[in-house]
Structures are given as structure tokens and as C-alpha cells.
Coordinates of all heavy atoms in Angstrom, one line a residue:
M510 N -18.8 6.5 -19.9 CA -17.8 5.7 -19.1 C -16.8 5.0 -20.1 O -17.2 4.4 -21.1 CB -18.4 4.7 -18.2 CG -18.6 5.2 -16.8 SD -19.5 4.0 -15.8 CE -18.2 2.8 -15.6
S511 N -15.5 5.0 -19.8 CA -14.6 4.3 -20.6 C -14.6 2.8 -20.3 O -14.9 2.4 -19.1 CB -13.2 4.9 -20.4 OG -12.8 4.6 -19.1
A512 N -14.3 2.0 -21.3 CA -14.4 0.6 -21.0 C -13.1 0.1 -20.3 O -12.0 0.4 -20.7 CB -14.4 -0.1 -22.4
N513 N -13.3 -0.5 -19.2 CA -12.2 -1.1 -18.5 C -12.7 -2.6 -18.1 O -13.6 -2.8 -17.4 CB -12.0 -0.3 -17.2 CG -10.7 -0.8 -16.5 OD1 -10.3 -1.9 -16.6 ND2 -10.1 0.1 -15.7
S514 N -12.0 -3.5 -18.7 CA -12.5 -4.9 -18.6 C -12.7 -5.4 -17.2 O -13.7 -6.2 -17.0 CB -11.4 -5.8 -19.3 OG -10.2 -5.7 -18.7
D515 N -11.9 -5.0 -16.3 CA -12.2 -5.5 -14.9 C -12.9 -4.5 -14.1 O -13.2 -4.8 -12.9 CB -10.9 -6.0 -14.2 CG -9.9 -4.8 -14.0 OD1 -10.3 -3.7 -14.3 OD2 -8.8 -5.1 -13.5
G516 N -13.3 -3.4 -14.7 CA -14.1 -2.4 -13.9 C -13.4 -1.8 -12.7 O -14.0 -1.2 -11.9
G517 N -12.1 -2.0 -12.6 CA -11.4 -1.4 -11.5 C -10.3 -0.5 -11.8 O -10.2 0.0 -12.9
V518 N -9.4 -0.3 -10.9 CA -8.3 0.6 -11.1 C -7.1 -0.2 -11.7 O -7.0 -1.4 -11.5 CB -7.9 1.3 -9.8 CG1 -9.0 2.2 -9.4 CG2 -7.5 0.3 -8.8
G519 N -6.1 0.5 -12.3 CA -4.9 -0.1 -12.8 C -3.9 -0.2 -11.7 O -4.0 0.3 -10.6
C520 N -2.8 -0.9 -12.0 CA -1.7 -1.1 -11.1 C -1.1 0.2 -10.6 O -0.8 0.4 -9.4 CB -0.6 -1.9 -11.7 SG -1.1 -3.6 -12.1
Q521 N -0.9 1.2 -11.5 CA -0.4 2.5 -11.0 C -1.3 3.2 -10.0 O -0.8 3.7 -9.1 CB -0.2 3.4 -12.3 CG 1.3 3.2 -12.8 CD 1.6 4.3 -13.8 OE1 0.7 4.8 -14.5 NE2 2.8 4.7 -13.9
D522 N -2.6 3.2 -10.3 CA -3.5 3.8 -9.4 C -3.5 3.1 -8.0 O -3.6 3.8 -7.0 CB -4.9 3.8 -10.0 CG -5.1 4.8 -11.1 OD1 -4.5 5.8 -11.0 OD2 -6.0 4.6 -11.9
A523 N -3.5 1.8 -8.1 CA -3.5 1.1 -6.8 C -2.2 1.2 -6.0 O -2.3 1.6 -4.8 CB -3.7 -0.4 -7.1
L524 N -1.1 1.1 -6.7 CA 0.2 1.2 -6.0 C 0.4 2.7 -5.5 O 1.0 2.9 -4.5 CB 1.3 0.7 -6.8 CG 1.5 -0.8 -7.0 CD1 2.6 -1.1 -7.9 CD2 1.7 -1.5 -5.6
G525 N 0.0 3.6 -6.3 CA 0.1 5.0 -6.0 C -0.6 5.4 -4.7 O -0.3 6.4 -4.1
R526 N -1.6 4.6 -4.3 CA -2.4 4.8 -3.1 C -2.1 3.9 -2.0 O -2.8 3.8 -1.0 CB -3.9 4.8 -3.5 CG -4.3 6.0 -4.3 CD -5.7 5.9 -4.9 NE -6.1 7.1 -5.5 CZ -5.7 7.4 -6.8 NH1 -4.9 6.7 -7.5 NH2 -6.1 8.6 -7.3
L527 N -1.0 3.2 -2.2 CA -0.6 2.1 -1.2 C -0.6 2.6 0.2 O -1.2 2.1 1.1 CB 0.8 1.6 -1.6 CG 1.5 0.7 -0.6 CD1 0.8 -0.7 -0.6 CD2 3.0 0.4 -1.1
Y528 N 0.1 3.7 0.5 CA 0.3 4.2 1.8 C -1.0 4.8 2.4 O -1.3 4.6 3.6 CB 1.4 5.2 2.0 CG 2.7 4.5 1.8 CD1 3.3 4.4 0.5 CD2 3.3 3.8 2.8 CE1 4.5 3.7 0.3 CE2 4.5 3.1 2.6 CZ 5.1 3.1 1.4 OH 6.2 2.4 1.2
E529 N -1.7 5.5 1.5 CA -3.0 6.0 2.0 C -4.0 4.9 2.3 O -4.8 5.0 3.3 CB -3.6 6.9 0.9 CG -2.9 8.2 0.7 CD -3.2 8.8 -0.7 OE1 -2.6 8.3 -1.7 OE2 -4.0 9.7 -0.8
Y530 N -3.9 3.9 1.5 CA -4.8 2.7 1.8 C -4.4 2.1 3.1 O -5.3 1.8 3.9 CB -4.6 1.7 0.6 CG -5.3 0.4 0.9 CD1 -6.7 0.3 0.7 CD2 -4.6 -0.7 1.3 CE1 -7.4 -0.9 0.9 CE2 -5.3 -1.9 1.5 CZ -6.6 -2.0 1.3 OH -7.3 -3.2 1.5
L531 N -3.1 1.9 3.3 CA -2.7 1.2 4.5 C -3.0 2.1 5.8 O -3.2 1.6 6.9 CB -1.2 0.9 4.4 CG -0.9 -0.2 3.4 CD1 0.6 -0.3 3.2 CD2 -1.4 -1.6 3.9
D532 N -2.9 3.4 5.6 CA -3.2 4.3 6.7 C -4.7 4.6 6.9 O -5.0 5.3 7.8 CB -2.4 5.6 6.4 CG -0.9 5.5 6.6 OD1 -0.5 4.5 7.2 OD2 -0.2 6.3 6.1
G533 N -5.5 4.0 6.0 CA -6.9 4.2 6.1 C -7.3 5.7 5.8 O -8.3 6.2 6.3
E534 N -6.6 6.3 4.9 CA -6.9 7.7 4.5 C -7.7 7.8 3.2 O -8.0 9.0 2.9 CB -5.5 8.5 4.4 CG -4.9 8.7 5.8 CD -3.5 9.2 5.6 OE1 -3.0 9.4 4.5 OE2 -2.8 9.4 6.7
L535 N -7.9 6.7 2.6 CA -8.7 6.8 1.3 C -10.2 6.9 1.6 O -10.7 6.5 2.6 CB -8.4 5.6 0.5 CG -7.0 5.5 -0.1 CD1 -6.9 4.1 -0.9 CD2 -6.7 6.6 -1.1
S536 N -10.9 7.5 0.6 CA -12.3 7.5 0.7 C -12.8 6.0 0.6 O -12.1 5.1 0.2 CB -12.9 8.3 -0.5 OG -12.6 7.6 -1.7
E537 N -14.0 5.8 1.0 CA -14.6 4.5 1.0 C -14.6 3.9 -0.5 O -14.2 2.7 -0.7 CB -16.1 4.5 1.4 CG -16.4 3.5 2.5 CD -17.8 3.7 3.0 OE1 -17.9 4.5 4.0 OE2 -18.8 3.2 2.4
D538 N -14.8 4.8 -1.4 CA -14.9 4.4 -2.8 C -13.5 3.9 -3.2 O -13.4 2.8 -3.8 CB -15.3 5.6 -3.6 CG -15.6 5.3 -5.1 OD1 -16.1 4.2 -5.3 OD2 -15.2 6.1 -5.9
W539 N -12.4 4.6 -2.9 CA -11.1 4.2 -3.3 C -10.6 3.0 -2.5 O -9.9 2.2 -3.1 CB -10.1 5.4 -3.2 CG -10.0 6.2 -4.4 CD1 -10.5 7.4 -4.7 CD2 -9.4 5.8 -5.7 NE1 -10.3 7.8 -6.0 CE2 -9.6 6.8 -6.6 CE3 -8.7 4.6 -6.0 CZ2 -9.1 6.7 -7.9 CZ3 -8.2 4.5 -7.3 CH2 -8.4 5.5 -8.2
T540 N -10.9 3.0 -1.3 CA -10.5 1.8 -0.5 C -11.0 0.5 -1.1 O -10.3 -0.5 -1.3 CB -11.1 1.9 0.9 OG1 -10.6 3.1 1.5 CG2 -10.6 0.7 1.8
E541 N -12.3 0.6 -1.6 CA -12.9 -0.6 -2.2 C -12.2 -0.9 -3.5 O -11.9 -2.1 -3.9 CB -14.4 -0.4 -2.4 CG -15.1 -1.6 -2.8 CD -14.8 -2.8 -1.9 OE1 -14.8 -2.7 -0.7 OE2 -14.5 -3.9 -2.5
K542 N -11.9 0.1 -4.3 CA -11.3 -0.1 -5.6 C -9.9 -0.7 -5.4 O -9.5 -1.6 -6.2 CB -11.1 1.3 -6.4 CG -12.4 1.7 -7.0 CD -12.2 3.1 -7.6 CE -13.5 3.6 -8.2 NZ -13.4 5.0 -8.7
V543 N -9.1 -0.1 -4.5 CA -7.8 -0.6 -4.3 C -7.8 -2.0 -3.8 O -7.0 -2.9 -4.2 CB -7.0 0.3 -3.3 CG1 -5.6 -0.3 -3.0 CG2 -6.8 1.7 -4.0
R544 N -8.7 -2.3 -2.8 CA -8.7 -3.6 -2.3 C -9.1 -4.7 -3.3 O -8.5 -5.7 -3.4 CB -9.8 -3.7 -1.1 CG -9.8 -5.0 -0.4 CD -10.5 -5.0 0.9 NE -11.8 -4.4 0.7 CZ -12.4 -3.6 1.6 NH1 -11.7 -3.4 2.8 NH2 -13.6 -3.1 1.5
S545 N -10.1 -4.3 -4.1 CA -10.5 -5.3 -5.2 C -9.3 -5.5 -6.2 O -9.2 -6.6 -6.7 CB -11.8 -4.9 -5.8 OG -11.6 -3.8 -6.6
H546 N -8.6 -4.5 -6.4 CA -7.4 -4.6 -7.3 C -6.4 -5.6 -6.7 O -5.9 -6.5 -7.4 CB -6.8 -3.3 -7.7 CG -5.6 -3.4 -8.6 ND1 -5.8 -3.4 -10.0 CD2 -4.3 -3.6 -8.4 CE1 -4.6 -3.6 -10.5 NE2 -3.7 -3.7 -9.6
I547 N -6.1 -5.4 -5.5 CA -5.1 -6.2 -4.8 C -5.5 -7.7 -4.8 O -4.7 -8.6 -5.0 CB -4.9 -5.8 -3.4 CG1 -4.4 -4.3 -3.3 CG2 -3.8 -6.7 -2.7 CD1 -4.6 -3.7 -1.9
E548 N -6.8 -7.9 -4.6 CA -7.2 -9.3 -4.5 C -7.1 -10.0 -5.8 O -7.0 -11.2 -5.9 CB -8.7 -9.3 -4.0 CG -8.8 -9.0 -2.5 CD -10.2 -8.8 -2.1 OE1 -11.1 -8.8 -3.0 OE2 -10.4 -8.6 -0.9
R549 N -7.1 -9.2 -6.9 CA -7.1 -9.8 -8.2 C -5.8 -9.8 -8.9 O -5.5 -10.5 -9.9 CB -8.2 -9.2 -9.1 CG -9.6 -9.7 -8.8 CD -10.5 -8.9 -9.7 NE -10.4 -7.4 -9.4 CZ -11.0 -6.5 -10.0 NH1 -11.8 -6.8 -11.1 NH2 -10.8 -5.2 -9.7
C550 N -4.9 -8.9 -8.5 CA -3.7 -8.6 -9.2 C -2.5 -9.3 -8.6 O -2.1 -8.9 -7.4 CB -3.4 -7.1 -9.4 SG -2.0 -6.8 -10.4
K551 N -1.9 -10.3 -9.2 CA -0.8 -11.0 -8.7 C 0.5 -10.2 -8.6 O 1.4 -10.5 -7.8 CB -0.5 -12.3 -9.5 CG -1.6 -13.3 -9.3 CD -1.2 -14.6 -10.1 CE -2.1 -15.7 -9.7 NZ -3.5 -15.4 -10.1
R552 N 0.5 -9.1 -9.4 CA 1.7 -8.3 -9.4 C 1.7 -7.3 -8.2 O 2.8 -7.1 -7.6 CB 1.8 -7.5 -10.7 CG 2.4 -8.3 -11.8 CD 2.7 -7.4 -13.0 NE 1.4 -6.8 -13.5 CZ 1.4 -5.8 -14.4 NH1 2.5 -5.3 -14.9 NH2 0.2 -5.4 -14.9
C553 N 0.6 -6.8 -7.9 CA 0.5 -5.8 -6.8 C 0.4 -6.5 -5.4 O 0.9 -6.0 -4.4 CB -0.7 -4.9 -7.0 SG -0.5 -3.8 -8.4
Y554 N -0.2 -7.6 -5.4 CA -0.5 -8.3 -4.1 C 0.7 -8.4 -3.2 O 0.6 -8.0 -2.0 CB -1.2 -9.6 -4.3 CG -1.5 -10.3 -3.0 CD1 -2.6 -9.9 -2.2 CD2 -0.7 -11.3 -2.5 CE1 -2.9 -10.5 -1.0 CE2 -1.0 -11.9 -1.3 CZ -2.1 -11.5 -0.5 OH -2.4 -12.1 0.7
P555 N 1.9 -8.9 -3.7 CA 3.0 -9.0 -2.8 C 3.5 -7.7 -2.2 O 3.9 -7.6 -1.1 CB 4.1 -9.6 -3.7 CG 3.4 -10.2 -4.9 CD 2.1 -9.4 -5.0
Y556 N 3.4 -6.6 -3.0 CA 3.7 -5.3 -2.5 C 2.9 -4.9 -1.3 O 3.4 -4.4 -0.3 CB 3.6 -4.2 -3.6 CG 4.7 -4.2 -4.6 CD1 4.5 -4.8 -5.8 CD2 5.9 -3.7 -4.3 CE1 5.5 -4.8 -6.8 CE2 6.9 -3.7 -5.2 CZ 6.7 -4.2 -6.5 OH 7.7 -4.3 -7.4
F557 N 1.6 -5.0 -1.5 CA 0.7 -4.6 -0.4 C 0.8 -5.5 0.8 O 0.8 -5.0 1.9 CB -0.8 -4.7 -0.9 CG -1.2 -3.5 -1.7 CD1 -0.9 -3.4 -3.0 CD2 -1.8 -2.4 -1.1 CE1 -1.3 -2.3 -3.8 CE2 -2.2 -1.3 -1.8 CZ -1.9 -1.2 -3.2
N558 N 1.0 -6.8 0.6 CA 1.1 -7.7 1.7 C 2.4 -7.4 2.5 O 2.4 -7.3 3.7 CB 1.2 -9.1 1.1 CG 0.6 -10.1 2.1 OD1 -0.3 -9.8 2.9 ND2 1.1 -11.3 2.0
F559 N 3.5 -7.2 1.8 CA 4.7 -6.8 2.4 C 4.6 -5.5 3.2 O 5.1 -5.5 4.3 CB 5.8 -6.7 1.3 CG 7.2 -6.3 1.9 CD1 7.9 -7.2 2.6 CD2 7.6 -5.0 1.7 CE1 9.1 -6.8 3.1 CE2 8.8 -4.6 2.2 CZ 9.6 -5.5 2.9
E560 N 4.1 -4.5 2.6 CA 3.9 -3.2 3.2 C 3.1 -3.3 4.5 O 3.4 -2.7 5.5 CB 3.3 -2.2 2.3 CG 4.2 -1.7 1.2 CD 5.3 -0.9 1.9 OE1 5.0 -0.1 2.8 OE2 6.5 -1.0 1.5
R561 N 2.0 -4.1 4.4 CA 1.1 -4.2 5.5 C 1.8 -4.8 6.7 O 1.8 -4.4 7.8 CB -0.1 -5.0 5.1 CG -1.2 -5.0 6.2 CD -2.5 -5.6 5.7 NE -2.3 -6.9 5.1 CZ -2.0 -8.0 5.7 NH1 -2.0 -8.0 7.1 NH2 -1.8 -9.2 5.1
I562 N 2.5 -5.9 6.4 CA 3.3 -6.6 7.5 C 4.4 -5.8 8.0 O 4.6 -5.7 9.2 CB 3.8 -8.0 6.9 CG1 2.7 -8.9 6.6 CG2 4.8 -8.6 7.9 CD1 3.1 -10.1 5.7
F563 N 5.1 -5.1 7.1 CA 6.2 -4.2 7.5 C 5.7 -3.1 8.4 O 6.2 -2.8 9.5 CB 6.8 -3.6 6.3 CG 7.9 -2.6 6.6 CD1 9.1 -3.0 7.0 CD2 7.6 -1.3 6.4 CE1 10.1 -2.1 7.3 CE2 8.6 -0.3 6.7 CZ 9.8 -0.7 7.2
L564 N 4.6 -2.4 8.0 CA 4.1 -1.3 8.8 C 3.5 -1.8 10.1 O 3.7 -1.1 11.2 CB 3.0 -0.5 8.0 CG 3.6 0.3 6.8 CD1 2.4 0.9 6.0 CD2 4.5 1.4 7.3
D565 N 2.8 -2.9 10.1 CA 2.3 -3.4 11.4 C 3.5 -3.7 12.3 O 3.4 -3.4 13.5 CB 1.5 -4.7 11.1 CG 0.1 -4.5 10.6 OD1 -0.3 -3.3 10.6 OD2 -0.5 -5.4 10.3
H566 N 4.5 -4.2 11.8 CA 5.7 -4.6 12.6 C 6.4 -3.4 13.2 O 6.6 -3.3 14.4 CB 6.6 -5.5 11.8 CG 7.8 -6.0 12.6 ND1 7.6 -6.8 13.7 CD2 9.1 -5.8 12.5 CE1 8.8 -7.0 14.2 NE2 9.7 -6.5 13.5
I567 N 6.7 -2.4 12.3 CA 7.4 -1.3 12.9 C 6.6 -0.5 13.9 O 7.1 0.1 14.8 CB 8.1 -0.4 11.8 CG1 7.0 0.2 10.9 CG2 9.2 -1.1 11.1 CD1 7.6 1.2 9.9
R568 N 5.3 -0.5 13.6 CA 4.4 0.2 14.6 C 4.3 -0.5 15.9 O 4.3 0.1 17.0 CB 3.0 0.4 14.0 CG 3.0 1.6 13.0 CD 1.8 1.6 12.2 NE 1.9 2.7 11.1 CZ 1.1 2.8 10.1 NH1 0.2 1.9 9.9 NH2 1.3 3.7 9.2
S569 N 4.3 -1.8 15.8 CA 4.3 -2.6 17.1 C 5.5 -2.4 17.9 O 5.5 -2.7 19.1 CB 4.0 -4.1 16.7 OG 5.2 -4.7 16.2
L570 N 6.6 -2.1 17.2 CA 7.9 -1.9 18.0 C 7.9 -0.5 18.7 O 8.7 -0.3 19.6 CB 9.0 -1.9 17.0 CG 9.3 -3.2 16.3 CD1 10.4 -3.0 15.2 CD2 9.7 -4.3 17.2
R571 N 6.9 0.4 18.4 CA 6.8 1.7 19.1 C 8.2 2.4 19.1 O 8.7 2.7 20.2 CB 6.3 1.5 20.5 CG 4.9 0.9 20.5 CD 4.4 0.8 22.0 NE 3.3 -0.1 22.1 CZ 2.0 0.3 21.7 NH1 1.8 1.5 21.2 NH2 1.1 -0.6 21.8
L572 N 8.8 2.6 17.9 CA 10.1 3.2 17.8 C 10.1 4.7 17.9 O 11.1 5.3 18.0 CB 10.7 2.8 16.4 CG 10.9 1.3 16.2 CD1 11.3 1.0 14.8 CD2 12.1 0.8 17.1
G573 N 8.9 5.2 17.8 CA 8.8 6.7 17.8 C 8.7 7.1 16.3 O 9.2 6.5 15.4
P574 N 8.0 8.3 16.2 CA 7.7 8.7 14.8 C 8.9 9.0 13.9 O 8.8 8.7 12.7 CB 6.9 10.0 15.0 CG 7.1 10.4 16.4 CD 7.5 9.1 17.2
E575 N 10.0 9.4 14.5 CA 11.1 9.8 13.7 C 11.7 8.5 13.1 O 12.0 8.4 11.9 CB 12.2 10.5 14.5 CG 13.2 11.3 13.7 CD 14.2 11.9 14.5 OE1 13.8 12.6 15.5 OE2 15.4 11.8 14.2
T576 N 12.0 7.5 13.9 CA 12.5 6.2 13.4 C 11.6 5.5 12.4 O 12.0 5.0 11.4 CB 12.9 5.3 14.6 OG1 13.6 6.0 15.5 CG2 13.6 4.1 14.1
T577 N 10.3 5.5 12.8 CA 9.3 4.9 11.9 C 9.3 5.6 10.6 O 9.2 4.9 9.5 CB 7.9 5.0 12.6 OG1 8.0 4.3 13.9 CG2 6.9 4.2 11.8
G578 N 9.3 6.9 10.6 CA 9.3 7.7 9.4 C 10.5 7.4 8.5 O 10.4 7.2 7.3
R579 N 11.7 7.2 9.1 CA 12.9 6.9 8.4 C 12.8 5.6 7.8 O 13.2 5.3 6.6 CB 14.1 7.0 9.3 CG 14.8 8.4 9.4 CD 16.2 8.3 9.7 NE 16.5 7.4 10.9 CZ 16.6 7.9 12.1 NH1 16.3 9.2 12.3 NH2 16.8 7.1 13.1
L580 N 12.3 4.6 8.5 CA 12.2 3.2 8.0 C 11.2 3.2 6.8 O 11.4 2.5 5.8 CB 11.7 2.3 9.1 CG 12.8 1.9 10.1 CD1 12.2 1.2 11.3 CD2 13.8 0.9 9.5
E581 N 10.1 3.9 7.0 CA 9.1 4.0 6.0 C 9.7 4.6 4.7 O 9.4 4.1 3.6 CB 7.9 4.8 6.4 CG 6.9 4.0 7.2 CD 5.6 4.7 7.4 OE1 5.0 5.2 6.3 OE2 5.1 4.9 8.5
K582 N 10.5 5.6 4.8 CA 11.0 6.2 3.7 C 12.0 5.3 3.0 O 12.0 5.2 1.7 CB 11.8 7.5 4.1 CG 12.3 8.3 2.9 CD 13.0 9.5 3.2 CE 13.4 10.3 2.0 NZ 14.1 9.5 0.9
R583 N 12.8 4.6 3.7 CA 13.8 3.6 3.1 C 13.0 2.5 2.4 O 13.5 2.2 1.3 CB 14.6 3.0 4.2 CG 15.7 4.0 4.7 CD 16.6 3.4 5.7 NE 17.4 2.2 5.3 CZ 18.3 1.6 6.0 NH1 18.5 2.0 7.2 NH2 18.9 0.6 5.5
I584 N 12.0 2.0 2.9 CA 11.3 0.9 2.3 C 10.5 1.5 1.0 O 10.5 0.8 0.0 CB 10.4 0.2 3.2 CG1 10.2 -1.2 2.7 CG2 9.0 0.9 3.4 CD1 11.3 -2.1 3.0
R585 N 10.1 2.7 1.1 CA 9.4 3.3 0.0 C 10.4 3.5 -1.1 O 10.1 3.2 -2.3 CB 8.9 4.7 0.5 CG 7.6 5.1 -0.1 CD 7.1 6.4 0.5 NE 6.6 6.2 1.9 CZ 5.6 6.8 2.4 NH1 5.0 7.7 1.7 NH2 5.2 6.6 3.6
D586 N 11.5 4.0 -0.8 CA 12.6 4.2 -1.8 C 13.0 2.9 -2.5 O 13.1 2.8 -3.7 CB 13.8 4.9 -1.2 CG 13.5 6.3 -0.8 OD1 12.5 6.9 -1.3 OD2 14.4 6.9 -0.1
A587 N 13.1 1.9 -1.6 CA 13.5 0.6 -2.2 C 12.4 0.0 -3.1 O 12.8 -0.5 -4.2 CB 13.7 -0.4 -1.0
L588 N 11.2 0.2 -2.8 CA 10.1 -0.3 -3.6 C 10.0 0.5 -4.9 O 9.8 -0.1 -6.0 CB 8.8 -0.2 -2.9 CG 8.5 -1.3 -1.8 CD1 7.2 -1.0 -1.1 CD2 8.4 -2.7 -2.5
E589 N 10.2 1.8 -4.8 CA 10.2 2.6 -6.0 C 11.3 2.3 -7.0 O 11.2 2.4 -8.2 CB 10.1 4.1 -5.6 CG 8.7 4.5 -5.2 CD 8.7 5.9 -4.5 OE1 9.8 6.5 -4.5 OE2 7.7 6.3 -4.0
G590 N 12.4 1.9 -6.4 CA 13.6 1.6 -7.2 C 13.6 0.2 -7.8 O 14.3 -0.1 -8.7
A591 N 12.6 -0.6 -7.3 CA 12.6 -2.0 -7.7 C 12.0 -2.2 -9.1 O 11.2 -1.3 -9.6 CB 11.7 -2.8 -6.8
Ligands
ZN1416 ZN1 -1.8 -4.5 -10.1

């Protein structure tokens, strides 16, 4: 096993699985890894928190899959460009 001081995943691994995590599509193992990273990482936490609130909100609006998909893409692009 390679040495990893915090025993978890890095920011890239965690952020790269952001949407799968929020959609509940990750394996139990990865869900736990990503969650523990978010809890400890001040850089990633705002992203996940924002995404979660955003996704909850647009889903609660029941805009339909097409509009929701467009909004998700826009916010995804914005985050990736940040
Ligand atoms: Zn991080």
C-alpha cells in the first residue's frame, strides 16, 4: 500500500466523483472515501455543499429533465472553469 497521510482520497478523486456521489451512484466504499474527504478538506467542502444545495433546489422545482440537465451542465462548466 502506498503511504497516504490521511488515508483517504485526494481532491481530484473526490471532486471527480462529485456528481456520482450526489446522485448516490458510487459504491459504498467510494461514498465513504468521498464523504470523509469532504468533511476534512476545506477546499472541497464548499463545492460539494453548493452542488448539493443547488441540485436539491432544481430538483424540487420539478423543471423537467431537459431544463434540469441544462442547468446542471451550466453549473458544471462554471465549476470546471473556476
Ligand atoms: Zn479536497
Side-chain angles (χ1 to χ4, degrees):
M510 263 177 74
S511 65
N513 188 333
S514 57
D515 65 5
V518 296
C520 293
Q521 266 192 330
D522 282 334
L524 285 176
R526 289 169 173 80
L527 173 67
Y528 291 94
E529 291 160 277
Y530 173 77
L531 291 167
D532 290 341
E534 288 169 1
L535 289 176
S536 64
E537 229 172 272
D538 191 38
W539 268 107
T540 300
E541 191 49 48
K542 282 178 182 172
V543 172
R544 183 168 50 220
S545 69
H546 180 87
I547 299 160
E548 283 169 357
R549 283 174 302 171
C550 184
K551 288 185 171 63
R552 278 188 297 170
C553 289
Y554 182 76
Y556 283 101
F557 278 86
N558 210 30
F559 176 75
E560 282 294 319
R561 186 171 52 75
I562 291 163
F563 174 78
L564 287 175
D565 281 354
H566 184 58
I567 59 174
R568 280 167 187 166
S569 74
L570 296 174
R571 299 183 195 282
L572 297 169
E575 199 182 313
T576 308
T577 303
R579 272 209 305 273
L580 284 168
E581 276 194 50
K582 186 181 183 312
R583 282 179 66 173
I584 206 74
R585 213 173 289 215
D586 289 348
L588 283 173
E589 281 168 5

